[in-house]
């Protein structure tokens, strides 16, 4: 099976690399240009493009709309100890959209990367 690839448009590629590698256990798979990098965690390849990069991902659509960071679509990272991780990330000054919520499928919280792209941290039931 091919790796899963998700593209995020970001304000600052270097800040994004630091965020994901320092706080969420990603590694830098490749960083061939200042406005682009591929970060990896397991089978997930996170392609990060600067919103002002001359490459294809940041180009305006035919109707004039430009790709931008943020929104509600997100990657989900499964964790073993959501409460402990949230405490560590809060102490590091990371920005959360909500508090931990519990649903039928487990517990989750949304943390924003430096550009405002959400990451869902998820703990399945029974952990």
């Amino acid at each position: 099976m091919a790796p899963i690839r998700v593209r995020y448009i970001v304000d600052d590629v270097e800040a994004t690399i630091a965020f994901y590698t320092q706080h969420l256990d990603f590694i830098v798979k490749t960083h061939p240009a200042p406005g682009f990098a591929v970060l990896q965690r397991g089978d997930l390849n996170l392609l990060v493009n600067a919103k002002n990069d001359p490459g294809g991902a940041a180009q305006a659509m035919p109707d004039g709309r430009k790709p931008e960071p943020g929104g509600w679509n997100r990657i989900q990272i499964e964790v073993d100890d959501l409460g402990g991780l949230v405490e560590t990330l809060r102490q590091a000054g990371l920005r959360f959209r909500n508090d931990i919520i519990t649903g039928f499928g487990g517990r989750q919280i949304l943390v924003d990367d430096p550009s405002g792209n959400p990451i869902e941290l998820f703990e399945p039931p029974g952990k």
Side-chain angles (χ1 to χ4, degrees):
M1 178 180 212
I4 299 161
R5 293 180 183 92
V6 174
R7 185 180 310 273
Y8 270 177
I9 304 299
V10 302
D11 294 316
D12 181 328
V13 171
E14 293 300 326
T16 300
I17 290 170
F19 173 87
Y20 282 94
T21 59
Q22 292 174 14
H23 299 296
L24 298 175
D25 298 325
F26 280 75
I27 61 166
V28 177
K29 185 173 180 182
T30 185
H31 186 25
F36 177 73
V38 178
L39 309 178
Q40 184 177 33
R41 187 175 195 266
D43 289 335
L44 173 62
N45 286 298
L46 183 60
L47 290 70
V48 295
N49 284 85
K51 66 181 181 183
N52 58 356
D53 189 60
Q59 298 302 307
M61 299 294 104
D63 66 2
R65 288 181 296 157
K66 292 194 67 134
E68 62 184 47
W72 290 97
N73 294 325
R74 58 192 178 256
I75 59 172
Q76 181 189 75
I77 297 174
E78 186 173 315
V79 301
D80 291 329
D81 177 12
L82 183 61
L85 178 59
V86 167
E87 183 177 324
T88 299
L89 297 178
R90 283 192 197 281
Q91 290 174 359
L94 274 58
R95 183 180 57 218
F96 289 86
R97 291 190 179 189
N98 60 338
D99 291 320
I100 295 174
I101 58 172
T102 302
F104 294 112
R107 300 176 345 128
Q108 63 179 279
I109 192 168
L110 298 179
V111 60
D112 282 340
D113 75 8
S115 297
N117 292 307
I119 300 104
E120 179 180 321
L121 303 175
F122 174 75
E123 181 182 304
K127 290 271 184 172

